């Protein structure tokens, strides 16, 4: 009996392959893609053990809650400082719950509606043990996955990953594995490690960075020392993604490839970019030598403060134990060990998973979810600094990116960061707000608000092929145009490097090395104080409604929407908050605040002529700089 299905109504949803009809009467979706369209090199499902004759099948992936919990999910009442159990922390993160994520499940349905078998490509990274075991070949969540595959990116999978780059520092067993892929023609180009092109050991050997394991309590499994597990390259497989359905053209556009055929090249930079988190890091100062932080930023007990790898920030160091038997001779505690937090920017979905699934399967508790939320907020607050200065009749809000990638980065749909400014008078009465967010309706005031985001669309050719309208879209699999990308680059970036990795700003400009952005906001009359916030939201109202309304197959969109509502509608988290007292503006026509209304002020106004919204030259504060403002300024002329 499938007990998980009894407890999880999500697993019991029926799947019917849809045919979508649009206004023109033509049934154009899903695209008639096949699994071959999404083929990627690397270890293929159900590999055989290299060097065996006759070929022996791979060892099955162990199920984390049952094989690892005995030693690595622990609390110690006699030593409350021992709170570093790897599985405790892993379970309270999106890596562990990547298959149970209701947003991903809803997006998976839409992907399959848009392009047949595209869900199989998504499953590579959201349930790699299920994919590697050959249980996701049609991309449909319920059809072939074993209930235990819902443990997501589990312990056994990560600790069986193999470095794609041969090295004498790696286990000697890796040579056979890499050679077997070369012989089979599936060895991935190490220069393009994304798109789920991971390599894993078909033998259940456990790899990790520690070279002083005294006891092997893993049964017949070997413990192999793997430096790869401390390198950012291990994260590249699933955090650098491109859509192989599209191919880059000489003019910079992306066109649909031929159906039922792998992409013409292994070069992921010749496919439509979706996420470039690893490549962004690779082009940053973090990868080029590190960034020194002396303020304990990103937490943990880093021995030098020089942050370089993904692990430095997302698996902070701490003293403690990684095994429940830490008290045995020759085991003990460790001064610095990598905590298995894997904290990211997702601020609400973990709580939704906790509600939707029984704790016996997720290992989540109210406390672990709360602690994970606190870690997410702390990480996001460490990722940026904000400075606010007054310059005459305006304030300048500078947001500086201290993360190792764009801010924000990762999955583009429904994620955004923005600047909120509130102006108060001397009695602390709010007189104006820029970037207002309504927590009841989950709506953001867009007019005049600086929003950092990536917006994508479809061109005329894809519109013709799909029946969807040309322009901005949330159909991830079908998007082939980047309409906007003003996300802040990391320290050390150059435009040349970002162009090479398809991460250039779009409809925005950053100079080489500029890892900050300025927003100028006009100060309204009577303002004595400004309170400025930098906010980040995981899932917008527009995206969650898209997942609900576009679903014609199952109820996963509705389930995701209901979870979103139940968890505060993905209320934004505050990354930075600055309060500044303002110099009094005695005359709104004194734009440069030098005490006189003179030619300098009219030059500022003329430079702002035609501006709408929050504008310096809007003397009469009617929302537009026009002739009436010139007349008001001339009436106040003092020279």
């Amino acid at each position: 009996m499938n007990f998980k299905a009894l407890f999880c109504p999500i697993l019991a949803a029926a799947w019917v392959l849809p045919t979508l009809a649009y206004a023109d009467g033509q049934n154009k979706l899903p695209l008639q893609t096949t699994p071959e369209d999404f083929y990627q090199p690397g270890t293929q499902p159900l590999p055989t053990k290299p060097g065996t004759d006759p070929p022996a099948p791979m060892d099955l992936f162990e199920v984390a809650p049952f094989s690892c919990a005995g030693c690595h999910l622990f609390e110690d009442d006699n030593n409350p400082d021992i709170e570093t159990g790897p599985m405790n922390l892993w379970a309270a993160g999106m890596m562990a719950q990547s298959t149970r994520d209701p947003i991903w499940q809803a997006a998976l349905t839409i992907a399959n509606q848009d392009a047949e078998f595209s869900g199989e490509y998504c499953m590579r990274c959201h349930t790699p043990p299920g994919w590697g075991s050959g249980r996701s070949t049609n991309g449909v969540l319920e059809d072939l996955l074993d209930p235990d595959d819902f443990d997501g990116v589990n312990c056994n999978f990560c600790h069986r990953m193999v470095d794609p780059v041969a090295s004498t520092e790696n286990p000697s067993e890796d040579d056979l594995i890499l050679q077997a892929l070369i012989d089979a023609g599936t060895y991935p180009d190490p220069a393009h490690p994304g798109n789920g092109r991971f390599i894993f050991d078909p033998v259940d050997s456990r790899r990790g960075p520690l070279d002083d394991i005294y006891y092997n309590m893993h049964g017949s499994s070997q413990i192999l020392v793997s430096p790869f597990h401390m390198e950012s390259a291990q994260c590249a497989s699933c955090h650098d993604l491109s859509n192989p359905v599209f191919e880059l053209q000489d003019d910079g556009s992306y066109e649909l490839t031929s159906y039922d055929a792998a992409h013409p090249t292994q070069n992921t930079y010749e496919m439509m970019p979706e996420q470039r988190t690893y490549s962004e890091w690779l082009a940053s100062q973090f990868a080029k030598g590190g960034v020194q932080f002396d303020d304990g930023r990103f937490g943990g007990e880093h021995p030098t403060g020089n942050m370089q790898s993904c692990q430095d920030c997302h698996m902070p160091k701490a003293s403690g134990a990684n095994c429940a038997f830490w008290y045995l001779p020759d085991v003990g505690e460790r001064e610095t060990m990598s905590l298995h937090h894997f904290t990211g920017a997702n601020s609400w979905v973990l709580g939704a998973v906790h509600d939707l699934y029984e704790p016996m399967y997720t290992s989540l508790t109210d406390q672990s979810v709360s602690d994970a939320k606190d870690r997410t907020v702390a990480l996001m607050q460490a990722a940026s600094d904000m400075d606010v200065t007054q310059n005459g009749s305006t304030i300048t809000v500078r947001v500086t990116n201290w993360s190792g990638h764009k801010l924000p980065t990762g999955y583009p749909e429904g994620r955004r960061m923005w600047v909120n400014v509130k102006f108060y008078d001397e009695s602390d009465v709010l007189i104006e707000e820029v970037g207002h967010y309504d927590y009841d309706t989950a709506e953001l005031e867009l007019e005049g608000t600086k929003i950092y985001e990536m917006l994508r669309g479809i061109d005329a050719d894809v519109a013709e092929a799909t029946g969807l309208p040309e322009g901005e879209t949330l159909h991830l699999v079908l998007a082939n145009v980047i309409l906007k990308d003003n996300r802040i680059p990391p320290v050390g970036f150059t435009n040349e490097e970002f162009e090479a990795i398809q991460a250039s700003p779009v409809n925005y400009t950053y100079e080489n090395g500029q890892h900050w952005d300025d927003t100028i906001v006009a100060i309204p009359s009577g303002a004595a104080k400004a309170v400025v916030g930098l906010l980040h939201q995981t899932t917008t109202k527009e995206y969650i409604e898209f997942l609900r309304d576009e679903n014609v197959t199952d109820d996963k969109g509705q389930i995701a929407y209901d979870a979103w509502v139940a968890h505060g509608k993905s209320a934004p988290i505050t990354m930075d908050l600055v309060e500044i007292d303002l110099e009094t503006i005695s005359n709104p026509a004194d734009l440069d605040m030098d005490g006189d209304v003179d030619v300098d002020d009219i030059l500022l106004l003329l430079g702002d002529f035609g501006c709408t919204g929050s504008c310096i030259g809007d003397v009469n504060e009617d929302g537009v700089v026009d002739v009436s403002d010139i007349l008001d300024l001339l009436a106040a002329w003092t020279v």
Side-chain angles (χ1 to χ4, degrees), residues 70-90:
C71 295
H72 296 292
L73 180 69
F74 63 89
E75 297 177 359
D76 193 281
D77 295 334
N78 297 321
N79 190 342
D81 293 332
I82 302 294
E83 298 176 353
T84 55
M87 197 175 156
N88 305 52
L89 302 175
W90 164 84

Side-chain angles (χ1 to χ4, degrees), residues 277-416:
T277 303
Y278 173 76
S279 291
E280 293 161 10
W281 167 86
L282 199 62
S284 76
Q285 181 58 39
F286 286 83
K288 299 170 185 174
V291 177
Q292 184 70 38
F293 294 110
D294 297 324
D295 57 0
R297 193 180 295 253
F298 300 112
E301 302 168 7
H302 197 283
T304 67
N306 188 47
M307 312 299 271
Q308 295 180 281
S309 68
C310 306
Q311 290 88 334
D312 282 338
C313 297
H314 295 277
M315 298 181 70
K317 305 279 193 302
S319 58
N322 60 4
C323 174
F325 301 101
W326 61 270
Y327 51 82
L328 292 177
D330 300 310
V331 178
E333 301 179 48
R334 296 184 177 275
E335 291 186 5
T336 58
M337 56 172 288
S338 296
L339 300 175
H340 285 53
H341 285 160
F342 305 113
T343 304
N346 197 315
S347 60
W348 72 274
V349 169
L350 198 68
V353 171
H354 184 35
D355 288 350
L356 289 167
Y357 292 82
E358 289 293 315
M360 65 181 293
Y361 300 117
T362 66
S363 299
L364 292 173
T365 66
D366 292 345
Q367 187 63 51
S368 69
V369 170
S370 176
D371 290 345
K373 173 68 176 294
D374 290 343
R375 288 194 293 270
T376 296
V377 172
L379 181 82
M380 296 300 288
Q381 291 176 342
S384 66
D385 282 339
M386 186 170 68
D387 298 292
V388 182
T389 56
Q390 182 176 0
N391 302 288
S393 61
T394 67
I395 60 171
T396 299
V397 181
R398 171 164 290 189
V399 177
T400 302
N401 176 12
W402 286 116
S403 76
H405 39 65
K406 285 187 180 182
L407 188 67
T409 190
Y411 188 70
E413 268 62 35
R415 298 195 175 195
R416 62 189 177 190

Side-chain angles (χ1 to χ4, degrees), residues 500-515:
I501 63 173
Q502 303 167 295
S504 296
V506 176
N507 289 322
Y508 213 74
T509 301
Y510 289 97
E511 299 296 328
N512 286 343
Q514 181 186 342
H515 61 109

